[in-house]
Amino acid sequence: MSTLYLASTRGMCAGVDRAIKVVSVALDKFGSAKVWVLHEVVHNRHVVEDLKARGAHFVESLDEIPDGSVVIFSAHGVGLQTVAEAKRRGLEIIDATCPLVSRIHRKMNAAGLAGKSAVVIGHKGHQEVTGTIGQYQGDPRLVHVVLTPSDVENLNLTTQEAIFATQTTLSVDETAQTVKALREKFPNIEGPKLDDTCFATQHRQRAIKELAAMCQVVLVAGSPNSSNSNRLKEVAQSMGAKAYLIDDETQIDLRVLENVDKIGLSAGASAPAYVVDGIIAFLKAHGVKEVIEVGDKALHTSFPLPKGL
Ligand code: SF4
């Protein structure tokens, strides 16, 4: 007889909710033939499949989009060159970049115009980091991507003035170490008080710590390419729990739940609520007798849709 402990603060954040609504409203407004999304609008397989089923096209390059179409930029944001190329092509642009990512973009724009070096703490190659460094308006040799304190050890800056920014979905604890190393090595570097991880990332990591402290196994609903979901899994592991990232209930290996009386469940910021409901139903059908919510629920936030939608 096991009990399922459910993180009260889990699942879709305001930025993801907005990005999905943007695609949905665009499909209604322009018709599916015209709506093309550059990159996965959010990193969740179910969300992308649902929107594809409604007719949205997902592509990795602007070259794949026919003339006269609408292009939607994903929640992770894009660089200035992509925006310029979409304009040159005459595509109608709808920007689903999360407003919290756009705020970081503006800092990068300003740093570039002022000729300051910019250090971005994040995962090289992740869509958000690619977009953020692509927002630097200046010599690209002044932009650096680091992740760990040892990356900072090897970092050299060639300008007097510098700023730093972080990916929004990093581990709060690990990022604090990298920021500390950065401030020690470059005492004048400008940046946020702590980091640029967003409130959704912070709240979900705090909630899963509480959950992982009381459960032997923690399941995290999210796709393998979701940064914030992977961080939730790692945070749970850092608390001593066994943690597994699953797209949905079909990926649950019941063997890992054998003899486990306290199972934890959370969901990444891009995972739909129906996925969590499906996991709960599956676990109830396989021996879970009680479901208990754990922790405070973070206040619900929402962001307005872009102008024109
Ligand atoms: S995880 Fe944070 S930055 Fe990313 S879309 Fe959600 S609110 Fe925005």
Side-chain angles (χ1 to χ4, degrees):
M1 300 294 160
S2 46
T3 303
L4 178 65
Y5 292 90
L6 192 58
S8 290
T9 299
R10 62 175 186 274
M12 271 199 192
C13 63
V16 164
D17 187 50
R18 173 180 182 266
I20 295 169
K21 279 191 189 130
V22 165
V23 180
S24 184
V25 173
L27 285 168
D28 291 340
K29 183 169 175 181
F30 301 102
S32 62
K34 281 193 81 174
V35 175
W36 295 71
V37 187
L38 185 64
H39 310 304
E40 289 193 348
V41 67
V42 302
H43 286 157
N44 184 273
R45 181 166 67 79
H46 286 282
V47 169
V48 171
E49 281 175 3
D50 291 347
L51 292 170
K52 271 186 187 165
R54 288 201 50 206
H57 307 86
F58 289 86
V59 290
E60 289 303 311
S61 154
L62 289 176
D63 299 340
E64 299 170 69
I65 302 178
D67 289 342
S69 301
V70 173
V71 59
I72 297 176
F73 296 146
S74 78
H76 312 99
V78 297
L80 294 167
Q81 279 187 354
T82 303
V83 180
E85 175 59 10
K87 283 185 180 160
R88 191 197 63 76
R89 290 271 320 276
L91 300 171
E92 180 155 350
I93 297 172
I94 301 177
D95 191 0
T97 305
C98 176
L100 303 182
V101 175
S102 299
R103 195 166 67 183
I104 298 169
H105 286 183
R106 289 192 286 278
K107 290 198 295 186
M108 291 295 283
N109 299 155
L113 290 172
K116 298 177 182 180
S117 295
V119 181
V120 176
I121 302 174
H123 294 270
K124 222 177 220 167
H126 184 277
Q127 198 60 53
E128 182 187 322
V129 172
T130 302
T132 296
I133 61 179
Q135 286 284 334
Y136 185 85
Q137 285 175 286
D139 183 347
R141 288 171 301 181
L142 298 183
V143 182
H144 309 268
V145 179
V146 298
L147 185 61
T148 64
S150 69
D151 294 338
V152 174
E153 266 175 43
N154 299 323
L155 178 66
N156 291 308
L157 301 180
T158 52
T159 59
Q160 287 290 326
E161 292 185 297
I163 68 140
F164 79 88
T166 79
Q167 195 178 334
T168 54
T169 51
L170 295 177
S171 153
V172 172
D173 294 340
E174 287 174 12
T175 305
Q177 298 303 314
T178 308
V179 169
K180 182 168 174 276
L182 204 53
R183 288 197 193 280
E184 277 169 9
K185 185 161 179 180
F186 307 105
N188 296 328
I189 199 163
E190 303 161 37
K193 197 166 171 211
L194 298 174
D195 58 42
D196 293 303
T197 59
C198 68
F199 59 85
T201 294
Q202 294 164 9
H203 293 164
R204 280 154 191 69
Q205 287 181 17
R206 203 177 303 140
I208 207 165
K209 269 188 186 173
E210 198 176 330
L211 198 68
M214 57 195 292
C215 298
Q216 299 108 305
V217 171
V218 174
L219 304 174
V220 178
S223 289
N225 61 342
S226 161
S227 171
N228 81 87
S229 304
N230 276 291
R231 301 298 82 76
L232 288 178
K233 181 185 81 171
E234 291 165 5
V235 169
Q237 287 169 335
S238 74
M239 298 295 293
K242 286 187 177 150
Y244 301 91
L245 185 60
I246 50 171
D247 256 313
D248 52 41
E249 71 279 6
T250 64
Q251 294 180 349
I252 295 176
D253 181 350
L254 286 171
R255 288 169 302 183
V256 306
L257 302 179
E258 270 171 24
N259 304 317
V260 173
D261 57 359
K262 291 179 176 173
I263 305 168
L265 176 61
S266 183
S270 44
Y274 71 77
V275 166
V276 175
D277 293 343
I279 293 170
I280 295 171
F282 177 89
L283 292 173
K284 279 184 173 171
H286 290 85
V288 163
K289 289 286 169 245
E290 198 182 3
V291 181
I292 298 174
E293 291 220 30
V294 175
D296 297 331
K297 213 179 193 103
L299 285 177
H300 178 73
T301 318
S302 63
F303 297 132
L305 293 183
K307 280 192 189 114
L309 279 187

